[in-house]
PDB file of all heavy atoms in Angstrom:
ATOM      1  N   GLY A 225     -23.350  16.705  -5.686  1.00 96.00           N
ATOM      2  CA  GLY A 225     -23.269  15.421  -4.988  1.00 96.00           C
ATOM      3  C   GLY A 225     -24.360  14.452  -5.356  1.00 96.00           C
ATOM      4  O   GLY A 225     -24.827  13.681  -4.522  1.00 96.00           O
ATOM      5  N   CYS A 226     -24.778  14.436  -6.608  1.00 97.00           N
ATOM      6  CA  CYS A 226     -25.911  13.583  -7.013  1.00 97.00           C
ATOM      7  C   CYS A 226     -25.472  12.175  -7.403  1.00 97.00           C
ATOM      8  O   CYS A 226     -26.314  11.319  -7.647  1.00 97.00           O
ATOM      9  CB  CYS A 226     -26.662  14.225  -8.169  1.00 97.00           C
ATOM     10  SG  CYS A 226     -25.694  14.331  -9.696  1.00 97.00           S
ATOM     11  N   HIS A 227     -24.152  11.919  -7.502  1.00 97.00           N
ATOM     12  CA  HIS A 227     -23.593  10.611  -7.866  1.00 97.00           C
ATOM     13  C   HIS A 227     -23.927  10.196  -9.307  1.00 97.00           C
ATOM     14  O   HIS A 227     -23.735   9.036  -9.660  1.00 97.00           O
ATOM     15  CB  HIS A 227     -24.069   9.497  -6.911  1.00 97.00           C
ATOM     16  CG  HIS A 227     -23.580   9.665  -5.510  1.00 97.00           C
ATOM     17  ND1 HIS A 227     -22.781   8.744  -4.876  1.00 97.00           N
ATOM     18  CD2 HIS A 227     -23.762  10.656  -4.620  1.00 97.00           C
ATOM     19  CE1 HIS A 227     -22.506   9.165  -3.652  1.00 97.00           C
ATOM     20  NE2 HIS A 227     -23.095  10.320  -3.475  1.00 97.00           N
ATOM     21  N   ALA A 228     -24.428  11.132 -10.111  1.00 97.00           N
ATOM     22  CA  ALA A 228     -24.747  10.776 -11.497  1.00 97.00           C
ATOM     23  C   ALA A 228     -23.481  10.390 -12.258  1.00 97.00           C
ATOM     24  O   ALA A 228     -23.495   9.458 -13.072  1.00 97.00           O
ATOM     25  CB  ALA A 228     -25.451  11.936 -12.200  1.00 97.00           C
ATOM     26  N   CYS A 229     -22.358  11.076 -11.992  1.00 97.00           N
ATOM     27  CA  CYS A 229     -21.104  10.770 -12.696  1.00 97.00           C
ATOM     28  C   CYS A 229     -20.653   9.349 -12.391  1.00 97.00           C
ATOM     29  O   CYS A 229     -20.185   8.631 -13.268  1.00 97.00           O
ATOM     30  CB  CYS A 229     -20.023  11.779 -12.329  1.00 97.00           C
ATOM     31  SG  CYS A 229     -19.759  11.986 -10.562  1.00 97.00           S
ATOM     32  N   ALA A 230     -20.816   8.946 -11.100  1.00 97.00           N
ATOM     33  CA  ALA A 230     -20.385   7.603 -10.707  1.00 97.00           C
ATOM     34  C   ALA A 230     -21.232   6.547 -11.400  1.00 97.00           C
ATOM     35  O   ALA A 230     -20.717   5.527 -11.874  1.00 97.00           O
ATOM     36  CB  ALA A 230     -20.477   7.451  -9.194  1.00 97.00           C
ATOM     37  N   VAL A 231     -22.535   6.809 -11.483  1.00 97.00           N
ATOM     38  CA  VAL A 231     -23.444   5.838 -12.106  1.00 97.00           C
ATOM     39  C   VAL A 231     -23.192   5.772 -13.616  1.00 97.00           C
ATOM     40  O   VAL A 231     -23.127   4.681 -14.200  1.00 97.00           O
ATOM     41  CB  VAL A 231     -24.917   6.197 -11.803  1.00 97.00           C
ATOM     42  CG1 VAL A 231     -25.857   5.244 -12.520  1.00 97.00           C
ATOM     43  CG2 VAL A 231     -25.162   6.157 -10.305  1.00 97.00           C
ATOM     44  N   ALA A 232     -23.004   6.937 -14.234  1.00 97.00           N
ATOM     45  CA  ALA A 232     -22.728   6.958 -15.676  1.00 97.00           C
ATOM     46  C   ALA A 232     -21.423   6.224 -15.972  1.00 97.00           C
ATOM     47  O   ALA A 232     -21.318   5.488 -16.966  1.00 97.00           O
ATOM     48  CB  ALA A 232     -22.646   8.403 -16.169  1.00 97.00           C
ATOM     49  N   TRP A 259     -16.073   0.265  -8.514  1.00 96.00           N
ATOM     50  CA  TRP A 259     -16.447   1.567  -9.058  1.00 96.00           C
ATOM     51  C   TRP A 259     -15.169   2.334  -9.373  1.00 96.00           C
ATOM     52  O   TRP A 259     -14.187   2.224  -8.651  1.00 96.00           O
ATOM     53  CB  TRP A 259     -17.280   2.362  -8.034  1.00 96.00           C
ATOM     54  CG  TRP A 259     -18.632   1.768  -7.761  1.00 96.00           C
ATOM     55  CD1 TRP A 259     -18.891   0.627  -7.064  1.00 96.00           C
ATOM     56  CD2 TRP A 259     -19.898   2.284  -8.197  1.00 96.00           C
ATOM     57  NE1 TRP A 259     -20.250   0.410  -7.039  1.00 96.00           N
ATOM     58  CE2 TRP A 259     -20.889   1.400  -7.713  1.00 96.00           C
ATOM     59  CE3 TRP A 259     -20.271   3.416  -8.928  1.00 96.00           C
ATOM     60  CZ2 TRP A 259     -22.242   1.610  -7.963  1.00 96.00           C
ATOM     61  CZ3 TRP A 259     -21.618   3.619  -9.164  1.00 96.00           C
ATOM     62  CH2 TRP A 259     -22.600   2.720  -8.690  1.00 96.00           C
ATOM     63  N   ARG A 262     -15.951   7.650  -7.061  1.00 97.00           N
ATOM     64  CA  ARG A 262     -16.738   7.652  -5.817  1.00 97.00           C
ATOM     65  C   ARG A 262     -16.881   9.080  -5.329  1.00 97.00           C
ATOM     66  O   ARG A 262     -15.968   9.884  -5.455  1.00 97.00           O
ATOM     67  CB  ARG A 262     -16.070   6.776  -4.758  1.00 97.00           C
ATOM     68  CG  ARG A 262     -16.119   5.283  -5.099  1.00 97.00           C
ATOM     69  CD  ARG A 262     -15.547   4.444  -3.971  1.00 97.00           C
ATOM     70  NE  ARG A 262     -15.516   3.028  -4.289  1.00 97.00           N
ATOM     71  CZ  ARG A 262     -16.537   2.191  -4.112  1.00 97.00           C
ATOM     72  NH1 ARG A 262     -17.672   2.637  -3.611  1.00 97.00           N
ATOM     73  NH2 ARG A 262     -16.423   0.917  -4.428  1.00 97.00           N
ATOM     74  N   ILE A 263     -18.043   9.381  -4.747  1.00 97.00           N
ATOM     75  CA  ILE A 263     -18.310  10.738  -4.289  1.00 97.00           C
ATOM     76  C   ILE A 263     -18.503  10.719  -2.780  1.00 97.00           C
ATOM     77  O   ILE A 263     -19.305   9.948  -2.257  1.00 97.00           O
ATOM     78  CB  ILE A 263     -19.562  11.334  -4.970  1.00 97.00           C
ATOM     79  CG1 ILE A 263     -19.305  11.459  -6.470  1.00 97.00           C
ATOM     80  CG2 ILE A 263     -19.892  12.719  -4.418  1.00 97.00           C
ATOM     81  CD1 ILE A 263     -19.772  10.306  -7.264  1.00 97.00           C
ATOM     82  N   ARG A 264     -17.718  11.540  -2.086  1.00 97.00           N
ATOM     83  CA  ARG A 264     -17.862  11.669  -0.634  1.00 97.00           C
ATOM     84  C   ARG A 264     -18.338  13.066  -0.308  1.00 97.00           C
ATOM     85  O   ARG A 264     -18.238  13.967  -1.133  1.00 97.00           O
ATOM     86  CB  ARG A 264     -16.527  11.379   0.052  1.00 97.00           C
ATOM     87  CG  ARG A 264     -16.132   9.925  -0.063  1.00 97.00           C
ATOM     88  CD  ARG A 264     -14.713   9.771  -0.469  1.00 97.00           C
ATOM     89  NE  ARG A 264     -14.403   8.372  -0.780  1.00 97.00           N
ATOM     90  CZ  ARG A 264     -13.381   8.005  -1.528  1.00 97.00           C
ATOM     91  NH1 ARG A 264     -12.580   8.906  -2.041  1.00 97.00           N
ATOM     92  NH2 ARG A 264     -13.153   6.746  -1.781  1.00 97.00           N
ATOM     93  N   HIS A 265     -18.840  13.237   0.895  1.00 98.00           N
ATOM     94  CA  HIS A 265     -19.433  14.519   1.269  1.00 98.00           C
ATOM     95  C   HIS A 265     -18.809  15.029   2.561  1.00 98.00           C
ATOM     96  O   HIS A 265     -18.705  14.274   3.529  1.00 98.00           O
ATOM     97  CB  HIS A 265     -20.947  14.370   1.415  1.00 98.00           C
ATOM     98  CG  HIS A 265     -21.572  13.658   0.247  1.00 98.00           C
ATOM     99  ND1 HIS A 265     -21.966  14.317  -0.899  1.00 98.00           N
ATOM    100  CD2 HIS A 265     -21.811  12.339   0.017  1.00 98.00           C
ATOM    101  CE1 HIS A 265     -22.439  13.428  -1.768  1.00 98.00           C
ATOM    102  NE2 HIS A 265     -22.352  12.232  -1.244  1.00 98.00           N
TER     103      HIS A 265
ATOM    104  N   ASP B 416     -20.578  12.102   4.885  1.00 96.00           N
ATOM    105  CA  ASP B 416     -21.084  10.847   4.345  1.00 96.00           C
ATOM    106  C   ASP B 416     -20.041  10.250   3.398  1.00 96.00           C
ATOM    107  O   ASP B 416     -19.477  10.964   2.579  1.00 96.00           O
ATOM    108  CB  ASP B 416     -22.393  11.103   3.586  1.00 96.00           C
ATOM    109  CG  ASP B 416     -23.081   9.812   3.235  1.00 96.00           C
ATOM    110  OD1 ASP B 416     -23.828   9.317   4.074  1.00 96.00           O
ATOM    111  OD2 ASP B 416     -22.854   9.304   2.114  1.00 96.00           O
ATOM    112  N   VAL B 417     -19.798   8.940   3.535  1.00 95.00           N
ATOM    113  CA  VAL B 417     -18.771   8.313   2.698  1.00 95.00           C
ATOM    114  C   VAL B 417     -19.278   8.016   1.293  1.00 95.00           C
ATOM    115  O   VAL B 417     -18.494   7.715   0.398  1.00 95.00           O
ATOM    116  CB  VAL B 417     -18.227   7.010   3.314  1.00 95.00           C
ATOM    117  CG1 VAL B 417     -17.346   7.301   4.502  1.00 95.00           C
ATOM    118  CG2 VAL B 417     -19.360   6.070   3.673  1.00 95.00           C
ATOM    119  N   GLY B 418     -20.586   8.067   1.091  1.00 93.00           N
ATOM    120  CA  GLY B 418     -21.111   7.879  -0.257  1.00 93.00           C
ATOM    121  C   GLY B 418     -21.319   6.445  -0.662  1.00 93.00           C
ATOM    122  O   GLY B 418     -21.676   6.171  -1.802  1.00 93.00           O
ATOM    123  N   HIS B 419     -21.067   5.493   0.244  1.00 92.00           N
ATOM    124  CA  HIS B 419     -21.402   4.100  -0.078  1.00 92.00           C
ATOM    125  C   HIS B 419     -22.100   3.479   1.127  1.00 92.00           C
ATOM    126  O   HIS B 419     -21.870   3.873   2.259  1.00 92.00           O
ATOM    127  CB  HIS B 419     -20.166   3.298  -0.478  1.00 92.00           C
ATOM    128  CG  HIS B 419     -18.991   3.464   0.431  1.00 92.00           C
ATOM    129  ND1 HIS B 419     -18.924   2.914   1.679  1.00 92.00           N
ATOM    130  CD2 HIS B 419     -17.840   4.145   0.274  1.00 92.00           C
ATOM    131  CE1 HIS B 419     -17.779   3.229   2.244  1.00 92.00           C
ATOM    132  NE2 HIS B 419     -17.105   3.987   1.432  1.00 92.00           N
TER     133      HIS B 419
END
Side-chain angles (χ1 to χ4, degrees):
Chain A
C226 66
H227 295 241
C229 53
V231 176
W259 293 72
R262 291 185 183 275
I263 296 94
R264 291 133 189 159
H265 312 274
Chain B
D416 191 86
V417 288
H419 47 73

